[in-house]
Amino acid sequence: MSSPISLAAAVPILARIMVDTVQIFRPGPEVLDPDTGVYVPGPDIVVYEGLGAVFAAGGPGLAVSVAGQPAPDDPRDRYKLLTPLQAPLASREDSVRVIAATQDQGLLNRVWRVLDISDANTLAVVRTTWMDESTQTTGA
């Protein structure tokens, strides 16, 4: 009879998967711009900064023709964010960005919106957060 794998045994595997540095953040409170007298968005509040991995969870939605006009069936590009279990749960409408990419530099300067509170499971090994991309251009 074999014994189950302990979570400690998974640590080296997870270190090979979560190779990027990610930030989970939310907008900070508005602040008064003394020069204009107008309230402007304050600095982002970083909820988590550390190891993570971003994976596409499916391609863009299908385009269907409605009365001769192409219309996206589901325009969202779904992604999954993996973080260590020690990372805090992300909340709906938080945002995610990759601040250091080990393999794919195309992850930099992109922002994803958290779709739902991060998954929590009894037998979890990593924290999974579902996202959709809110970046509109590559900035190139």
Side-chain angles (χ1 to χ4, degrees), residues 1-2 9 12 42 50 59 68 78 82 86 88 98 106-107 140:
M1 180 174 199
S2 64
R78 299 205 190 278
L82 301 182
Q86 298 81 5
V98 176
L107 290 169

Side-chain angles (χ1 to χ4, degrees), residues 19-20 54 79 98 100-110 112:
V19 296
D20 297 326
V54 174
Y79 286 80
V98 176
T102 302
Q103 299 292 324
D104 186 355
Q105 300 303 304
L107 290 169
L108 298 173
N109 300 318
R110 293 169 80 173
W112 294 267

Side-chain angles (χ1 to χ4, degrees), residues 14-39:
L14 297 177
R16 291 178 180 258
I17 294 171
M18 291 188 280
V19 296
D20 297 326
T21 304
V22 300
Q23 277 186 343
I24 300 172
F25 64 97
R26 57 185 60 131
E30 290 187 335
V31 294
L32 182 64
D33 182 337
D35 295 332
T36 64
V38 175
Y39 281 95

Side-chain angles (χ1 to χ4, degrees), residues 85-109:
L85 286 177
Q86 298 81 5
L89 294 170
S91 296
R92 280 188 186 103
E93 303 301 326
D94 281 352
S95 295
V96 174
R97 64 181 152 232
V98 176
I99 59 172
T102 302
Q103 299 292 324
D104 186 355
Q105 300 303 304
L107 290 169
L108 298 173
N109 300 318

